[in-house]
Amino acid sequence: MKKLLFLLSVVLLFGYDAKVEPYEVYKIKAPQSGEVLVSNKNLESKFVTNKLIVKIDDTKDKINLQNLKNQIAVLKEEIKNQEQIVKRKKSIYERYKNLKTKSQEQKDLKFYDYMGALNQLLNMKSQLSNLQAQEKTTLDNINKKNIKVTGYVNKIYVTAGDYVNPGVLVAEVDDTTKQKLTIYVPIDKIDSILNKDVYINGKLSDFKIEKVWSLPDSKYITSYRVDLVGKGLRFGDIVKVEFK
């Protein structure tokens, strides 16, 4: 029995080396074509919070945005006026349709007058919706051209004065909200690590197994790749992972 417990403890305490890596690496690409106005290369290899790293020329977008705002403001006033016209024409029609002193032709004319005003109002509201959608798209384009990130700025690939096309790689940023450890566990030991606490360098950690790749790794053909996720370590460190 003691020998069995000893062998079991050896299995459970078996350690795996892993490098502390970011949970994800974001490859940021240019959303649209344009000249690079700002490239904050001084932020490379630094942790940042909501910092501008690259700015692509958005001058035309801002002019377009202001024009749209002006059009929207004017159209809203026109809609308010048209709503009053519709209300008035509807009131007139409602009075006419029950008057015996008015001919059917006169009643129909008031009805068509009211419906014409109502249709004009509906068209104006449709125009407003389209303009507001354009405004949202334009504002989104401006935001995308002013690339702000939170994380570790791994690399910025463009410099001020460059001209970029859509899809060109602009920067790589590491997600630092979580950390990832990757280990390779012999297939016959996988069951022994499941549902166990994860110890890092001999201390209990908050790391959990996120995924066990159920096919043998192409490099470590007798092992399964195991990804663990947690936080609290220093990026780039090599740590010892144990399961107890």
Side-chain angles (χ1 to χ4, degrees):
M1 176 62 74
K2 289 183 178 179
K3 184 177 180 181
L4 177 62
L5 290 174
F6 173 76
L7 290 175
L8 181 60
S9 65
V10 170
V11 171
L12 296 181
L13 292 173
F14 193 86
Y16 305 87
D17 289 333
K19 184 178 179 180
V20 183
E21 297 179 311
Y23 180 71
E24 191 171 357
V25 177
Y26 298 110
K27 295 183 181 294
I28 301 173
K29 298 179 180 180
Q32 293 181 0
S33 59
E35 181 184 354
V36 177
L37 299 183
V38 176
S39 176
N40 285 322
K41 283 183 167 290
N42 60 304
L43 296 178
E44 283 185 335
S45 303
K46 293 182 181 179
F47 293 93
V48 299
T49 301
N50 196 34
K51 288 285 189 180
L52 177 74
I53 58 170
V54 172
K55 177 183 178 68
I56 298 172
D57 189 7
D58 58 1
T59 305
K60 291 182 179 178
D61 297 284
K62 287 182 176 178
I63 293 173
N64 189 28
L65 180 63
Q66 188 57 54
N67 289 336
L68 287 168
K69 287 182 179 295
N70 293 340
Q71 292 178 55
I72 287 171
V74 170
L75 189 53
K76 282 183 175 180
E77 286 300 315
E78 291 177 348
I79 287 174
K80 286 170 63 176
N81 294 335
Q82 188 64 22
E83 284 174 338
Q84 293 301 313
I85 292 172
V86 170
K87 184 177 179 181
R88 180 73 178 273
K89 289 182 180 294
K90 181 181 179 181
S91 176
I92 294 172
Y93 165 68
E94 292 292 344
R95 291 203 309 270
Y96 260 64
K97 72 176 183 178
N98 295 319
L99 291 175
K100 295 181 180 180
T101 57
K102 301 298 180 181
S103 67
Q104 186 60 46
E105 182 179 1
Q106 289 174 309
K107 293 177 182 180
D108 288 345
L109 287 174
K110 293 302 179 185
F111 173 73
Y112 296 142
D113 192 29
Y114 160 55
M115 291 306 296
L118 180 59
N119 286 333
Q120 187 176 351
L121 175 62
L122 295 176
N123 287 334
M124 292 168 71
K125 288 185 175 181
S126 178
Q127 291 175 33
L128 178 62
S129 295
N130 290 335
L131 287 174
Q132 288 174 329
Q134 292 177 44
E135 179 188 33
K136 184 177 179 181
T137 299
T138 304
L139 185 58
D140 185 53
N141 288 338
I142 291 172
N143 289 334
K144 286 179 178 178
K145 288 182 176 180
N146 290 267
I147 302 171
K148 294 182 179 181
V149 300
T150 294
Y152 180 80
V153 182
N154 203 334
K155 180 70 175 176
I156 297 176
Y157 292 99
V158 296
T159 58
D162 288 350
Y163 188 91
V164 294
N165 290 314
V168 169
L169 185 62
V170 170
E172 285 187 6
V173 178
D174 298 342
D175 177 4
T176 57
T177 59
K178 293 184 288 186
Q179 297 169 327
K180 181 173 71 174
L181 301 173
T182 298
I183 60 175
Y184 297 89
V185 179
I187 295 172
D188 60 353
K189 289 186 170 62
I190 284 292
D191 289 342
S192 70
I193 70 170
L194 300 178
N195 302 316
K196 296 294 188 296
D197 291 327
V198 180
Y199 282 71
I200 306 294
N201 293 335
K203 296 181 180 180
L204 180 64
S205 74
D206 71 345
F207 275 77
K208 304 293 181 185
I209 295 176
E210 182 185 52
K211 183 175 182 179
V212 175
W213 299 76
S214 57
L215 292 175
D217 185 76
S218 59
K219 183 177 181 181
Y220 303 95
I221 59 175
T222 61
S223 300
Y224 285 157
R225 171 179 163 177
V226 178
D227 292 337
L228 302 98
V229 175
K231 53 187 178 180
L233 303 178
R234 190 169 62 181
F235 287 96
D237 280 359
I238 305 297
V239 298
K240 179 74 73 176
V241 181
E242 298 173 305
F243 299 90
K244 301 181 184 180

